[in-house]
Amino acid sequence: MMAPTTDSAGNTEDAAAARASLETLRTEIAKAVVGQDPAVTGLVVALLCRGHVLLEGVPGVAKTLLVRALASALELDTKRVQFTPDLMPSDVTGSLVYDTRTAEFSFQPGPVFTNLLLADEINRTPPKTQSSLLEAMEERQVTVDGTPRPLPDPFLVAATQNPVEYEGTYPLPEAQLDRFLLKLTIPLPSRDDEIDVLTRHASGFDPRDLHAAGVRPVAGPADLEAARAAVAETTVSAEITAYVVDICRATRQSPSLTLGVSPRGATALLAAARAWAWLTGRDYVTPDDVKALALPALRHRVQLRPEAEMEGVTADSVINSVLAQVPVPR
């Protein structure tokens, strides 16, 4: 076997260093957030895939703190928008402001011009304002007065929503849900984790002061760029590609669903599995990688039949059933 060239050896070293840095994220974020390793991993996968994340959980399970801690550990800029019924699209994207000194209009960037945008309670704002994020999420730019303005890179939207409160909310339409790479559910902590949370607060932990909590930057944009390049080199066999397609096609034939996974969903599942494979130290994707990311990548892309929902069927149970039925490649 030929020895790697200087460039390829350097790229390999950069990728290994980037993986090591990203692996330390869990430890660093755990200084502020207790017991949410799967959500941390999901957010890192989304950053590697240039995707966006929908976080669903009841109030008080540290969804906002999680995103702030991730931004701090990655040394990325972050902004938070509280979505309310009276929020206007320009409050998110920015607007033209008249300058009396120059007698000209100048663009005032909105909070979307950041690396990590926390869209808090996104389903509390009307569809018009929700849709203001579509161009930003898909095209990574904002067009105001006919002029496209690029967003920073990396750019990730982490939107939160409450699964138990429906009054005064506007459910996200399927077209917008499909724009999210992953939907992560943030569960209530276990008894031991909840005791740990209270012990920290009793000892003076302030969730508004991450620096005092000891959260330090352990990776940065350069590590993300090296990691993305390495993920792009991760091998995907024809059998794995066919496996992903078969899973998604099976959801379209499920009697419990009125809407199955779209081709965009299949692409998202493959990309997420690829990033997860690289994070776990492999340069090829296995069926287990696909299974590991199937729920977060697909659960928000299917629509249950009303009668199935009344019988207690969930999107997760349908996807698990599909995974059990679709033949796994050898």
Side-chain angles (χ1 to χ4, degrees):
M1 181 181 292
M2 294 180 63
T5 64
T6 304
D7 285 347
S8 64
N11 291 340
T12 302
E13 291 174 3
D14 290 344
R19 184 189 287 117
S21 297
L22 293 176
E23 284 174 352
T24 61
L25 275 177
R26 291 177 185 164
T27 305
E28 202 64 25
I29 293 174
K31 295 177 181 177
V33 182
V34 178
Q36 296 294 357
D37 283 355
V40 174
T41 301
L43 285 165
V44 173
V45 165
L47 279 168
L48 293 180
C49 298
R50 291 182 169 88
H52 308 285
V53 173
L54 183 62
L55 301 171
E56 185 173 273
V58 298
V61 290
K63 299 186 293 293
T64 301
L65 181 60
L66 175 62
V67 175
R68 289 180 52 240
L70 177 69
S72 181
L74 284 174
E75 209 169 9
L76 298 175
D77 182 47
T78 182
K79 290 185 173 68
R80 175 177 178 270
V81 179
Q82 181 66 51
F83 279 69
T84 56
D86 60 348
L87 193 75
M88 299 297 292
S90 58
D91 296 329
V92 178
T93 61
S95 57
L96 295 175
V97 178
Y98 183 72
D99 189 337
T100 55
R101 293 173 299 176
T102 61
E104 293 180 348
F105 284 94
S106 60
F107 179 66
Q108 184 67 34
V112 74
F113 286 86
T114 187
N115 297 125
L116 267 67
L117 176 67
L118 177 60
D120 216 354
E121 295 187 296
I122 190 172
N123 57 337
R124 284 202 166 276
T125 199
K128 181 179 180 180
T129 304
Q130 290 178 9
S131 65
S132 67
L133 280 176
L134 286 178
E135 181 188 17
M137 292 169 67
E138 193 70 19
E139 306 295 334
R140 300 184 180 274
Q141 66 178 25
V142 169
T143 301
V144 177
D145 197 34
T147 303
R149 293 174 170 84
L151 294 170
D153 186 43
F155 172 69
L156 178 143
V157 174
T160 72
Q161 66 178 16
N162 182 348
V164 297
E165 193 170 21
Y166 297 104
E167 287 189 16
T169 62
Y170 303 83
L172 276 74
E174 285 72 20
Q176 186 163 352
L177 282 171
D178 211 31
R179 296 301 200 284
F180 287 97
L181 179 78
L182 304 175
K183 179 183 177 181
L184 305 175
T185 55
I186 310 297
L188 288 166
S190 66
R191 182 176 183 273
D192 289 343
D193 285 343
E194 197 163 358
I195 290 173
D196 191 1
V197 170
L198 267 64
T199 302
R200 293 186 183 194
H201 279 266
S203 302
F205 171 71
D206 183 358
R208 290 172 291 275
D209 190 352
L210 292 176
H211 185 77
V215 179
R216 301 287 185 271
V218 293
D223 294 304
L224 283 175
E225 196 56 41
R228 287 170 172 175
V231 169
E233 298 297 321
T234 302
T235 303
V236 180
S237 67
E239 291 77 11
I240 292 295
T241 302
Y243 182 50
V244 171
V245 169
D246 289 343
I247 289 171
C248 295
R249 290 181 67 86
T251 65
R252 301 169 202 163
Q253 299 164 5
S254 171
S256 299
L257 301 178
T258 58
L259 179 69
V261 178
S262 69
R264 180 191 282 133
T267 303
L269 175 55
L270 185 61
R274 205 176 188 186
W276 171 244
W278 179 82
L279 276 174
T280 53
R282 281 178 282 101
D283 60 357
Y284 58 92
V285 181
T286 68
D288 285 341
D289 298 323
V290 176
K291 289 181 179 180
L293 273 297
L295 287 179
L298 304 181
R299 58 163 59 109
H300 56 298
R301 303 176 192 273
V302 298
Q303 190 173 50
L304 290 167
R305 292 187 182 278
E307 56 270 27
E309 202 165 1
M310 290 177 65
E311 293 172 1
V313 176
T314 65
D316 284 12
S317 66
V318 172
I319 294 168
N320 281 327
S321 176
V322 165
L323 290 174
Q325 294 171 8
V326 174
V328 179
R330 299 293 180 185

